[in-house]
């Protein structure tokens, strides 16, 4: 069963040389079980901070974060969450399949070889099971990271700009693939992204954030039916939503 | 390359044949080879003895170093507490404690201990650096799945520290050989290259001294090469060849009283270790001196204080001049290498060879060439400080970002202007790193030269006291030279912090 994510009145600040920076100020957000939510905003709006709080890598100064009713750290220890980072963050000395198996090692579960093989096929890396990350292209490494994020059948999936380092063409291909993978699993997903088109194409709901202090500026629902096809990127409705989100990012 | 080597060898042969250097102090390669052949019966047992001391010390020292490194990486409090001990081990001039070890222990033990001490610091810092600098993103992956510190250590950090540790073992191997030979100087056993060297000093036979020196260099070089090969095979990546000279910081924001307590503990711990080791050894109080016993000794009306001050007045100035010259040359050459990158390519192999060449093998050779006057001390000090400083600074300057160099260039700046505006300020952290590295090495170099050649200063006082069985003086000189070394190291660190903070830079390893 997919679980939901809930943030209520969450604040987090950092003390730096230039004084106190309010990375997040009074942020509340509900992500319903099974929903795909995209988080978008300018640099420094606190979206990475929000994600780190939701994953349990950081603790809020005020407010509450819960994943399926548990604290993020508890949820992580129970193996409810999966995560893919901005950078693939693969262990360079482990092969593709061993990298995908890493969450099993942390959670102290036996390696599920069938599941690993299935995911390798799903992300289109069959034949590269024994390859080391250094031998793969950037796009292939990112797909390994996504397979790793899915390997423990998470109820809640976090994706932190997983395609940020890819070129536009590869990015579109990965968007289509991610939608396919998501539709098969229907895991609750929170995607942090810089790309307006990517957010619209993938999400049910786009959360637009603003900086100084980091806060939620607007929430925009995306009405397109699924499965969405690559042609969608060229439609006038798509362009209108892009313009609306760009406007929200500019503070309208 | 091969042609140049042959030419150099031919030139050396000619110079040696005609006895051009200091009346035959530099023998021809053929003469060295002939002598070596004549001595061939002696070498196996001496080489084997040195290898035993160095090898066992290498194993023990590195094992302790890796375990300590893991502890310091995991616990900042432990790192802070052990800082004093770590700096003392880094800075202690091995030759100063060799006589003490010979007094307190027997057989191979002094060699093993000095070899282990020679390995400890470099491997310990490499382990800490390797673990703490493990990719934060990989650590995040582990933590995101609820993994704790141990899971992170097991799955990510220890493995990512392997290249760093292998890089350190490469440097530790020659250091272990040097440690073993220095202990042999202090008088432990009949066999070993160090014992052979001491035994041959009296005979005016330059060819044999060169033979022993070259054998020691080859032994150290083989140790270096073996681990360089393993490192290249395992990691297929390059690690800096410089030695880290900073102990792990372990600084975290904590209340003032805690910081004060940790600092005090860190200063007291080395003395506690000293006391504890003496108590544990059970050696008679006449030989084994505790800190209190040394204070008593200095109170005796035997003019010990005067003799020490006289020795210091001889040792310190020349150490300072040696450091200044060595670092000055190194800095000039490193800056030159920015203008002409060929300099690095030409000098790096030489620098690497001299890094692996045991200082003790070099000393008698320089004595042969430069005689027994003060100039030989300078030569030795410059040669032990120059190359590591040069390697540190040249590598540092190479790390200056291309884009930082390109900005003044884009405005038409000459190479000199680029040097003045970018390279020289950017080199500040590396100059200090080189200085921290140079201080203990210089003191070791000066004391070795004084002991073996000039008969002056602290080194000589130590050697004499050994002869007179003046245990109080042996301990005093040993402790004093460690304290001096630590003191100057801390002075450098103090200045470094202020200067770098003002420049907005961070410390280089």
């Amino acid at each position: 069963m997919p679980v939901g994510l809930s943030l209520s009145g969450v604040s987090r600040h950092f003390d730096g040389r230039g004084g106190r920076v309010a990375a997040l100020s009074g942020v509340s957000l509900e992500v319903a079980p099974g929903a795909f939510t995209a988080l978008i905003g300018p640099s420094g709006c606190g979206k990475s901070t929000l994600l780190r709080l939701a994953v349990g890598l950081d603790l809020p100064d005020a407010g509450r974060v819960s994943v399926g009713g548990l604290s993020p750290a508890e949820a992580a220890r129970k193996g409810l969450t999966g995560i893919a980072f901005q950078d693939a963050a693969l262990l360079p000395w482990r092969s593709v399949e061993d990298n995908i198996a890493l969450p099993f090692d942390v959670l102290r579960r036996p390696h599920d070889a069938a599941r690993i093989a299935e995911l390798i096929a799903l992300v289109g890396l069959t034949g590269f099971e024994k390859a080391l990350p250094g031998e793969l292209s950037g796009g292939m490494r990112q797909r390994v990271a996504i397979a790793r994020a899915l390997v423990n059948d998470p109820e809640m999936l976090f994706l932190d700009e997983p395609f940020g380092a890819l070129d536009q063409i590869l990015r579109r291909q990965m968007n289509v693939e991610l939608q396919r993978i998501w539709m098969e699993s229907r895991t609750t997903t929170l995607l942090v992204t810089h790309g307006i088109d990517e957010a619209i194409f993938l999400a049910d709901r786009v959360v637009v954030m603003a900086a100084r202090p980091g806060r939620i500026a607007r929430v925009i629902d995306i009405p397109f039916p699924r499965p969405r096809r690559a042609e969608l990127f060229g439609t006038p409705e798509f362009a209108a939503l892009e313009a609306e989100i760009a406007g929200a990012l500019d503070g309208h | 390359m091969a042609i140049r080597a042959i030419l150099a060898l031919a030139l050396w042969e000619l110079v040696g044949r005609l006895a051009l250097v200091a009346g035959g102090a530099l023998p021809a390669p053929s003469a060295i080879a002939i002598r070596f052949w004549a001595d061939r019966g002696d070498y196996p047992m001496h080489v084997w003895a040195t290898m035993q001391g160095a090898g066992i010390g290498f194993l023990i020292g590195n094992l302790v170093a890796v375990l300590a490194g893991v502890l310091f990486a995991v616990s900042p409090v432990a790192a802070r507490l052990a800082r004093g001990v770590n700096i003392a081990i880094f800075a202690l001039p091995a030759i100063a404690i060799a006589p003490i070890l010979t007094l307190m222990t027997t057989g191979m033990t002094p060699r093993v201990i000095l070899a282990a001490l020679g390995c400890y610091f470099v491997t310990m810092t490499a382990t800490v650096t390797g673990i703490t600098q493990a990719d934060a993103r990989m650590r995040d992956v582990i933590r995101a799945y609820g993994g704790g510190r141990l899971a992170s250590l097991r799955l990510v950090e220890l493995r990512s520290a392997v290249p760093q540790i292998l890089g350190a073992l490469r440097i530790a191997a020659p250091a272990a050989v040097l440690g073993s030979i220095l202990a042999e100087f202090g008088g432990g056993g009949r066999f070993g290259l160090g014992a052979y060297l001491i035994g041959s000093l009296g005979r005016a036979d330059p060819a044999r001294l060169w033979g022993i020196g070259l054998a020691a260099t080859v032994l150290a070089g083989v140790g270096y090469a073996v681990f360089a090969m393993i490192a290249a095979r395992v990691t297929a990546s390059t690690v800096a060849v410089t030695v880290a000279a900073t102990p792990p910081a372990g600084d975290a924001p904590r209340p003032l009283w805690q910081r004060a307590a940790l600092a005090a503990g860190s200063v007291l711990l080395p003395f506690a270790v000293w006391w504890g080791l003496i108590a544990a050894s059970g050696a008679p109080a006449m030989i084994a001196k505790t800190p209190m016993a040394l204070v008593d000794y200095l109170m005796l009306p035997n003019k010990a204080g005067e003799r020490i001050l006289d020795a210091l007045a001889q040792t310190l100035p020349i150490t300072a001049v040696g450091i200044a010259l060595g670092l000055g040359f190194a800095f000039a050459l490193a800056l030159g290498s920015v203008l002409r990158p060929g300099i690095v390519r030409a000098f790096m192999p030489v620098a690497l060879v001299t890094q692996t060449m045991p200082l003790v093998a070099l000393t008698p050779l320089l004595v042969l060439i430069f005689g027994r006057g003060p100039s030989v001390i300078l030569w030795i000090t410059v040669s032990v400080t120059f190359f590591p400083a040069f390697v540190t600074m040249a590598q540092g300057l190479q790390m200056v970002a291309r884009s930082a160099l390109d900005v003044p260039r884009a405005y038409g700046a000459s190479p000199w202007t680029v040097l003045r505006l970018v390279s020289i300020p950017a080199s500040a952290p590396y100059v200090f790193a080189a200085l921290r590295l140079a201080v203990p090495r210089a003191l070791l170099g000066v004391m070795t030269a004084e002991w073996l050649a000039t008969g002056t200063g602290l080194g000589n006082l130590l050697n004499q006291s050994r002869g007179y069985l003046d245990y109080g003086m042996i301990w005093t000189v040993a402790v004093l030279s460690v304290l001096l070394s630590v003191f100057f190291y801390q002075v450098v660190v103090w200045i470094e912090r202020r200067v770098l903070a003002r420049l907005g830079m961070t410390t280089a390893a």
Side-chain angles (χ1 to χ4, degrees):
Chain A
M1 270 301 289
V3 296
L5 167 73
S6 155
L7 291 90
S8 56
V10 169
S11 295
R12 180 81 177 103
H13 58 74
F14 298 101
D15 293 314
R17 286 199 172 188
R20 174 163 289 196
V21 181
L24 287 177
S25 173
V27 171
S28 295
L29 176 69
E30 292 291 329
V31 176
F36 195 123
T37 304
L39 207 56
I40 195 167
S43 305
C45 71
K47 46 187 194 305
S48 289
T49 306
L50 194 154
L51 192 95
R52 290 181 69 83
L53 291 172
V55 181
L57 291 176
D58 194 10
L59 292 172
D61 297 316
R64 221 179 85 79
V65 184
S66 81
V67 176
L70 301 170
S71 81
E74 281 171 331
R77 275 195 293 273
K78 284 193 152 187
L80 296 184
T81 44
I83 182 160
F85 287 101
Q86 201 162 6
D87 181 283
L90 304 178
L91 306 189
W93 52 85
R94 284 184 169 228
S95 66
V96 165
E97 52 183 11
D98 286 345
N99 259 297
I100 295 176
L102 184 69
F104 291 138
D105 289 331
V106 182
L107 297 166
R108 295 187 178 276
R109 290 185 195 169
H111 287 203
D112 184 344
R115 174 71 179 150
I116 294 169
E118 183 189 316
L119 281 169
I120 289 177
L122 185 70
V123 296
L125 284 176
T126 309
F128 289 93
E129 292 85 354
K130 303 286 178 204
L132 291 174
E135 299 158 358
L136 303 177
S137 71
M140 290 158 92
R141 282 202 287 267
Q142 210 56 57
R143 279 183 275 171
V144 176
I146 287 173
R148 182 176 65 189
L150 295 169
V151 77
N152 56 331
D153 289 312
E155 318 290 350
M156 176 79 223
L157 181 63
F158 296 99
L159 303 170
D160 184 6
E161 294 181 40
F163 314 127
L166 306 186
D167 64 73
Q168 180 82 349
I169 299 165
L170 195 55
R171 207 175 156 126
R172 291 254 159 116
Q173 285 174 5
M174 293 296 290
N175 288 163
V176 174
E177 274 189 64
L178 177 60
Q179 179 186 232
R180 176 173 59 80
I181 293 167
W182 178 76
M183 287 185 68
E184 283 179 28
S185 64
R186 289 284 172 178
T187 305
T188 317
T189 303
L190 184 67
L191 167 77
V192 172
T193 178
H194 267 309
I196 299 179
D197 56 343
E198 181 171 278
I200 299 173
F201 182 78
L202 285 168
D204 305 319
R205 219 160 48 123
V206 176
V207 176
V208 181
M209 293 188 69
R212 272 181 271 169
R215 62 191 187 279
I216 291 175
R218 264 188 78 183
V219 178
I220 295 166
D221 286 310
I222 310 295
F224 303 122
R226 296 187 193 265
R228 298 168 186 168
R229 301 188 190 287
E231 296 79 60
L232 182 67
F233 284 113
T235 62
E237 294 83 356
F238 195 90
L241 269 175
E242 273 187 315
E244 191 181 344
I245 291 175
L249 283 168
D250 277 341
H252 301 301
Chain B
M1 202 60 205
I3 294 177
R4 260 193 242 171
I6 291 169
L7 274 179
L9 215 57
L11 187 69
W12 181 2
E13 181 73 33
L14 195 68
V15 169
R17 290 263 157 221
L18 301 176
L20 289 178
V21 175
L26 180 63
S30 59
I32 298 174
I34 290 168
R35 183 75 243 184
F36 185 83
W37 184 250
D39 293 338
R40 68 187 181 280
D42 295 341
Y43 274 99
M45 53 196 180
H46 291 306
V47 169
W48 173 238
T50 297
M51 265 174 73
Q52 266 182 307
I56 300 172
F58 181 83
L59 284 179
I60 295 175
N62 286 309
L63 188 68
V64 173
V66 170
L67 292 177
V70 172
L71 174 70
F72 298 152
V74 173
S75 158
V77 171
R80 185 66 190 83
L81 262 185
R83 190 182 158 85
V85 173
N86 284 333
I87 293 180
I89 291 179
F90 171 71
L92 67 85
I95 195 159
I97 67 159
I100 291 184
L101 291 174
T102 317
L103 287 179
M104 306 275 298
T105 59
T106 52
M108 291 300 262
T109 320
R111 305 178 185 191
V112 171
I113 294 178
L114 272 198
L117 285 176
C119 301
Y120 170 80
F121 189 86
V122 57
T123 307
M124 183 273 296
T125 43
T127 310
V128 175
T129 319
I131 288 178
T132 49
Q133 289 183 351
D135 200 325
R137 295 163 304 184
M138 296 177 197
R139 248 182 271 168
D140 278 352
V141 173
I142 305 296
R143 282 179 61 202
Y145 286 96
R149 191 62 222 253
L150 279 180
S152 185
L153 205 58
R154 180 171 61 91
L155 292 169
V156 172
E157 293 163 13
L158 279 178
R159 179 58 182 78
S160 24
V162 166
Q164 302 261 11
I165 294 174
L166 284 174
L169 293 185
R170 217 168 47 167
I171 299 169
V177 173
L178 173 62
S180 180
I181 293 180
L182 279 172
E184 291 162 24
F185 272 28
R190 278 171 53 210
F191 298 115
L193 286 173
Y196 194 25
L197 194 67
I198 287 276
S200 309
L201 267 184
R203 312 159 36 123
D205 191 348
R208 172 181 283 176
L209 291 183
W210 276 88
I212 300 172
L214 290 177
T217 306
V218 168
L219 192 57
V222 167
Y224 181 94
V226 165
F227 283 95
M229 237 149 64
I230 297 175
R233 173 112 4 135
V234 170
T235 65
S237 67
T238 49
V239 189
V241 291
T242 46
V243 187
T246 324
D251 285 334
R254 50 178 94 246
L256 187 64
W257 68 268
Q258 273 190 20
R259 268 185 297 159
L262 282 176
S266 145
V267 172
L268 292 177
L269 196 59
F271 292 94
V273 169
W274 169 9
W275 217 309
L277 284 179
I278 289 205
S281 75
M286 208 193 80
I287 295 177
K289 303 285 185 193
T290 61
M292 291 315 292
L294 275 198
V295 174
D296 289 345
Y297 172 78
L298 289 175
M299 293 295 167
L300 290 176
N302 58 359
K303 295 195 174 173
E306 240 172 78
R307 283 158 66 207
I308 290 170
L309 285 182
D310 284 349
L312 279 179
Q314 288 174 326
T315 299
L316 289 185
I318 205 148
T319 310
V321 173
I323 291 176
L325 285 178
L327 253 61
F329 288 144
F331 189 55
L333 201 64
L335 284 182
S337 73
V338 175
L339 300 178
R340 300 231 179 291
I343 294 179
V344 174
R345 248 174 292 138
F347 262 88
M348 218 40 117
V350 184
L352 285 178
V353 168
T354 54
Q355 289 234 58
T356 52
M357 183 162 192
L359 163 72
V360 284
L362 186 75
T363 307
L365 308 184
L366 289 177
V367 172
L368 285 174
I369 296 176
F370 298 106
R372 289 176 175 270
S375 72
V376 75
I377 303 184
L378 267 189
W379 276 104
I380 289 169
T381 317
V382 169
S383 62
V384 293
T385 50
F386 170 81
F387 285 110
F390 170 68
V391 173
T392 306
M393 293 196 263
Q395 287 195 332
L397 284 171
Q398 280 180 340
M399 278 189 260
V400 175
R402 274 233 81 77
S403 53
L405 297 171
D406 283 343
V407 173
R409 272 186 204 140
Y411 290 97
S414 69
W416 287 106
T417 313
V418 175
L419 212 58
R420 184 167 56 80
L421 290 177
V422 181
S423 299
I424 291 180
S427 69
Y430 304 100
V431 172
F432 281 109
L435 194 55
R436 273 184 280 131
L437 200 59
V439 169
R441 288 184 73 108
L443 199 59
L444 174 63
V446 170
M447 287 181 69
T448 310
E450 288 172 339
W451 173 311
L452 290 179
T454 63
T456 56
L458 279 180
N460 182 53
L461 190 55
L462 193 63
N463 196 17
Q464 271 184 354
S465 318
R466 227 162 43 95
Y468 301 150
L469 301 180
D470 186 349
Y471 300 118
M473 186 55 92
I474 297 178
W475 278 89
T476 309
V477 174
V479 172
L480 186 67
S481 47
V482 176
L483 286 180
L484 274 177
S485 203
V486 169
F487 172 74
F488 287 122
Y489 178 91
Q490 286 297 48
V491 168
V492 174
V493 169
W494 189 81
I495 299 172
E496 176 182 25
R497 285 217 187 113
R498 263 141 204 88
V499 171
L500 293 188
R502 179 174 291 185
L503 294 174
M505 292 173 165
T506 51
T507 311

